[in-house]
Amino acid sequence: MRENQLSEKIHHLTEVDGRSLFEIRWSSDSDALVQPLIDSGADVLRAEGTAGVWEFRLQFRDRVRVATFRESCLDSNIQMQLNALYNPVVPVNHTDSDLTDEQYDIIETAYRQGYWEIPQQITLDELAESIGISTDTASKRLRHGLTSLMDASFQPE
């Protein structure tokens, strides 16, 4: 690995099973790339790239931090594409209904970002954008998810 204009120093720490661990001291020129990671509190699980294109696997504490990361990238004119979004935690009450993970995620995200507040803190378009789906898909997930919740809530016991 060669040092470049984004890094001041790269130090090879160890290698095990063909995998290497490096310590990188970033230069101030890398702020546009590194600052969104710092601002959002992202954990970098994997990073592969070339001088022009990078692919990251990132972990965020919540969807709000994903949105923060995305906004920071846009503000820094960093082009990004979200390829997949995964929620590895199954909520406790989630199993009481027939909600899909995607339906649960959009309902929870809508709640946490103020979609249900009066006045609304986020529009449906903004909600869809924050989780990387179309407005039409967001609308359908919300409707189907709420229908599932209502079905579970109003079923005779």
Side-chain angles (χ1 to χ4, degrees):
M1 183 174 242
R2 199 175 82 222
E3 296 177 27
N4 61 38
Q5 68 272 14
L6 295 179
S7 61
E8 292 178 354
K9 183 177 182 178
I10 299 174
H11 180 68
H12 184 259
L13 298 176
T14 188
E15 185 171 339
V16 176
D17 296 328
R19 294 172 37 178
S20 296
L21 179 63
F22 292 90
E23 175 183 26
I24 301 173
R25 184 177 311 272
W26 296 99
S27 73
S28 59
D29 294 338
S30 67
D31 283 348
L33 174 66
V34 176
Q35 198 61 49
L37 296 170
I38 294 169
D39 291 344
S40 64
D43 292 323
V44 179
L45 304 179
R46 184 175 54 88
E48 294 181 29
T50 64
V53 177
W54 279 84
E55 184 174 316
F56 291 95
R57 182 171 183 161
L58 305 173
Q59 182 172 321
F60 298 90
R61 184 174 301 169
D62 53 43
R63 298 278 178 132
V64 173
R65 291 175 187 255
V66 174
T68 299
F69 174 74
R70 186 175 184 283
E71 289 169 14
S72 293
C73 287
L74 291 173
D75 290 346
S76 298
N77 293 320
I78 296 174
Q79 293 180 0
M80 66 164 288
Q81 177 181 340
L82 178 64
N83 293 328
L85 194 58
Y86 175 70
N87 181 8
V89 179
V90 177
V92 175
N93 295 331
H94 176 77
T95 57
D96 294 341
S97 68
D98 290 329
L99 286 179
T100 66
D101 290 338
E102 292 84 5
Q103 290 167 348
Y104 180 88
D105 286 343
I106 195 163
I107 291 169
E108 180 188 35
T109 303
Y111 174 75
R112 297 206 184 283
Q113 293 189 11
Y115 180 77
W116 311 113
E117 299 293 321
I118 299 174
Q120 276 186 327
Q121 302 300 307
I122 187 171
T123 66
L124 182 60
D125 289 340
E126 293 166 331
L127 176 63
E129 186 176 320
S130 77
I131 59 175
I133 60 175
S134 71
T135 303
D136 186 52
T137 300
S139 176
K140 288 176 183 175
R141 284 186 190 171
L142 276 173
R143 283 195 317 267
H144 290 285
L146 292 173
T147 298
S148 292
L149 286 174
M150 296 299 104
D151 285 347
S153 296
F154 296 119
Q155 290 294 324
E157 295 183 28

